[in-house]
Amino acid sequence: MSVTWENDKQLFSLVKEKLFVALVGDVMDKMGYTHQFLAQQLKPITNDMVILGRAMPVLEADFFGDAPGNNPLSSKPFGLMFEALDDLKEDEVYICAGSSHRYALWGGLMSTRAMQCGAAGAVVHGFHRDTNEIERLQFPIASFGSYAQDQGVRGKVIDWRVPIEVDGVLVRDGDIIYGDRDGILVIPKEIAEEAFKGAFIKAEGENEVLAALQGGMSTVDAFEKFGIM
């Protein structure tokens, strides 16, 4: 059965209903996109969180204090973080990288503002904090874990909606970020339709394999018949 959609909102709803991240990753492997998962330790902060939306890449950097310098950002607390956060659009994912891992890149107040903007979640290549507050809000966040030390006097956002590299994976404005408890996947925007269509087909095939295995078919015979395992 063919699965169709007219816009991102319909697509994302179908994906959450019918798919999981590993399926899409498998299809992308077949398409030749074999290095699109971020680091294994980068996971949603609770097992039931799913992150799915268009990427808004954010570039971070270490800054020590707010001493005046040749760059106006040197004396600006948090750099451009507030401007980047306020620029989030509906169904976008704030994804940031570039700094060291000595402080938290996301917190509870940021989650509240992102929710007001209609954002779909955040992926931070580092730590989050205010875990209890974020869990109460149920705003989907992926990180390396929790750490209370603040970014304020240690790091700044220096740009956003620019291409960033995360664990060797290019992330551009408008790419799709899809994450669950098994990992975070970056889906280049130009192949997203093909990748998701393939994943819906694979999901139907896996259901057939499951039924066959439950009926006693061997894995060898199942793979020979369906080409899926």
Side-chain angles (χ1 to χ4, degrees):
M1 181 178 66
S2 176
V3 178
T4 61
W5 58 90
E6 295 181 358
N7 51 49
D8 279 355
K9 193 164 290 295
Q10 289 182 7
L11 171 62
F12 296 157
S13 178
L14 286 166
V15 170
K16 289 179 179 179
E17 177 188 351
K18 298 177 180 293
L19 302 181
F20 49 92
V21 169
L23 270 177
V24 184
D26 290 351
V27 170
M28 290 174 65
D29 279 347
K30 296 288 188 182
M31 294 170 63
Y33 290 81
T34 56
H35 300 285
Q36 296 300 129
F37 274 101
L38 304 184
Q40 300 96 318
Q41 64 267 40
L42 191 55
K43 300 285 182 67
I45 66 174
T46 64
N47 285 337
D48 59 341
M49 284 182 173
V50 174
I51 299 171
L52 178 60
R54 295 281 177 177
M56 187 189 82
V58 177
L59 183 61
E60 295 266 1
D62 289 350
F63 262 82
F64 299 95
D66 295 317
N70 294 313
N71 188 329
L73 286 182
S74 296
S75 56
K76 184 177 173 61
F78 297 98
L80 300 173
M81 187 178 76
F82 304 137
E83 289 84 350
L85 190 60
D86 286 345
D87 193 41
L88 273 169
K89 305 294 191 295
E90 185 176 8
D91 290 328
E92 286 190 330
V93 175
Y94 183 109
I95 176 167
C96 64
S99 68
S100 66
H101 304 319
R102 299 180 300 101
Y103 47 84
L105 299 172
W106 191 270
L109 293 177
M110 294 178 73
S111 299
T112 297
R113 176 56 184 154
M115 292 176 72
Q116 289 295 315
C117 294
V123 175
V124 299
H125 196 256
F127 297 98
H128 74 279
R129 65 184 212 163
D130 307 327
T131 306
N132 290 338
E133 183 178 357
I134 293 171
E135 289 185 355
R136 283 196 300 270
L137 292 169
Q138 281 297 292
F139 185 68
I141 303 293
S143 77
F144 290 154
S146 60
Y147 186 37
Q149 186 151 265
D150 188 31
Q151 179 173 199
V153 297
R154 299 175 179 90
K156 302 180 190 294
V157 169
I158 59 174
D159 210 345
W160 78 99
R161 295 198 186 279
V162 295
I164 61 174
E165 185 179 24
V166 187
D167 295 321
V169 180
L170 175 65
V171 182
R172 301 162 302 166
D173 193 42
D175 288 339
I176 293 180
I177 307 298
Y178 185 21
D180 63 18
R181 64 185 297 183
D182 288 330
I184 309 297
L185 183 64
V186 179
I187 306 164
K189 51 192 170 186
E190 63 271 17
I191 67 157
E193 181 175 355
E194 181 181 356
F196 281 118
K197 283 183 176 179
F200 287 123
I201 292 170
K202 190 173 192 295
E204 293 175 1
E206 287 202 354
N207 288 334
E208 293 179 339
V209 173
L210 176 61
L213 293 174
Q214 289 172 334
M217 183 180 286
S218 72
T219 52
V220 171
D221 289 343
F223 187 75
E224 183 176 344
K225 180 176 181 178
F226 299 104
I228 297 173
M229 187 57 62

